[in-house]
Amino acid sequence: MTNWIELDQNVRSWIKEAGERIRSSFDSELSIKTKSNRNDLVTDMDEATEKYFTEAIRHTYPDHQIMGEEGFGDDLHTLEGVTWIIDPIDGTMNFVHQQRNFAISIGIYDGAVGKLGYIYDVVHDELYFASKGEGAFMNGQRLPELEAVSVEDAIVALNALWVTDNKRIDPSVLGPLVQKARGIRSYGSAAIEMAYIAAGRLDAYLTMRLAPWDFAAGKILIEEVGGVVTDLEGNELDPLKKSSVFVGKPELHQTILDTYIKK
């Protein structure tokens, strides 16, 4: 049996330690590499942070599975038992260029059920946390249930790429939404954007392709405050697969889906 209270205490301690290590690296020269393309960056701090978590998890919970962005976890094909889904630094480009607007993201699943979600904004020292059925919190303060909002009053997180020529979506699909919404924002970190929706700072977020470690924690957070998390077709996300992601406040999600995406 998993002692979830003890596990939560361990995760919080590890996240704070990892965050301190990242902040301490700001004055050091980073080793930066590219992955799939020149804009897909990974640093030695991404790798060191994921390694720190995987070593701590394997030592404390040797029977748990791990999925990590930088490859220090397991090669998973099923979610069995307890699985940790980790992005050590979500928003690496921001980390490299700005030293802000990035986060540690950890989703912990029991089978296919998201149990605990953590998004830690390292620079602002904001820890967003959710436990299934127990609500969501930021630095210990409970986040209120999300309230419905109209498109005209909504702040929508959307990368400008998706309203220009690209390989994944006709730019004319989301153009009308951009024109109708009160404002459009892009923070360059899926974890930050999903945390901001949970906290009510944003109202919706759309992107064409994320990996499980990008959305695993945020999905738990947002659903605990009444938000909706699907792909762009309105389907449930698979925590083992890459997917488009569409997050929104209640009612707003359905309105955008029906009026702009599935029109």
Side-chain angles (χ1 to χ4, degrees), residues 39 158-171 174 184 186 207-208:
N39 296 324
L158 180 71
N159 190 317
L161 176 65
W162 309 129
V163 289
T164 63
D165 289 336
N166 68 88
K167 298 178 181 178
R168 301 195 181 277
I169 189 170
D170 187 324
L174 296 177
I184 303 296
S186 180
T207 188
M208 298 309 115

Side-chain angles (χ1 to χ4, degrees), residues 5 10 16 23 30 38 43 56 69 72-73 75 80 93 95 99 122 126 129 134 157 160 187 205 245-246 261:
I5 295 175
N10 285 333
K16 290 291 187 174
R23 285 190 294 268
L30 291 170
R38 67 181 303 274
T43 71
E69 179 176 13
F72 292 96
D75 183 16
E80 296 178 356
M93 189 180 296
F95 170 61
Q99 294 188 341
V122 173
E126 292 181 343
F129 162 73
E134 301 295 332
Y187 291 89
Y205 168 52
V245 173
F246 173 28
I261 300 175

Side-chain angles (χ1 to χ4, degrees), residues 17-37:
E17 171 64 22
E20 182 56 38
R21 293 183 181 199
I22 292 170
R23 285 190 294 268
S24 297
S25 77
F26 283 170
D27 293 329
S28 303
E29 184 174 346
L30 291 170
S31 172
I32 304 169
K33 297 177 285 188
T34 59
K35 293 190 285 188
S36 61
N37 61 66

Side-chain angles (χ1 to χ4, degrees), residues 50-243:
E50 182 167 305
K51 190 174 182 181
Y52 166 75
F53 283 121
T54 56
E55 288 178 349
I57 295 163
R58 294 197 195 286
H59 175 75
T60 312
Y61 304 105
D63 58 330
H64 289 189
Q65 298 187 122
I66 303 170
M67 178 192 297
E69 179 176 13
E70 308 310 337
F72 292 96
D74 305 304
D75 183 16
L76 300 185
H77 301 284
T78 60
L79 290 176
E80 296 178 356
V82 178
T83 303
W84 300 59
I85 304 178
I86 301 170
D87 193 337
I89 299 180
D90 183 73
T92 299
M93 189 180 296
N94 292 344
F95 170 61
V96 170
H97 288 275
Q98 303 173 346
Q99 294 188 341
R100 54 190 29 80
N101 292 325
F102 65 90
I104 296 170
S105 179
I106 300 177
I108 302 176
Y109 283 65
D110 188 7
V113 178
K115 292 284 288 185
L116 301 173
Y118 306 81
I119 295 175
Y120 182 46
D121 182 334
V122 173
V123 172
H124 294 103
D125 192 28
E126 292 181 343
L127 177 59
Y128 301 83
F129 162 73
S131 175
K132 185 170 178 59
E134 301 295 332
F137 303 80
M138 194 275 281
N139 286 354
Q141 182 174 351
R142 179 180 287 273
L143 297 173
E145 285 280 312
L146 299 178
E147 297 181 357
V149 63
S150 67
V151 173
E152 291 86 348
D153 291 330
I155 304 297
V156 178
L158 180 71
N159 190 317
L161 176 65
W162 309 129
V163 289
T164 63
D165 289 336
N166 68 88
K167 298 178 181 178
R168 301 195 181 277
I169 189 170
D170 187 324
S172 67
V173 172
L174 296 177
L177 174 62
V178 168
Q179 293 176 324
K180 192 76 168 178
R182 169 169 281 176
I184 303 296
R185 300 290 183 270
S186 180
Y187 291 89
S189 163
I192 292 288
E193 285 161 322
M194 294 179 84
Y196 281 5
I197 288 181
R201 297 173 180 172
L202 292 170
D203 301 303
Y205 168 52
L206 301 92
T207 188
M208 298 309 115
R209 193 166 187 259
L210 292 182
W213 45 78
D214 295 313
F215 62 74
K219 181 176 187 294
I220 301 168
L221 275 164
I222 290 163
E223 290 178 346
E224 280 302 308
V225 289
V228 183
V229 184
T230 67
D231 66 12
L232 255 71
E233 299 297 319
N235 302 312
E236 179 76 16
L237 299 181
D238 184 336
L240 282 176
K241 295 181 180 178
K242 293 182 178 180
S243 174

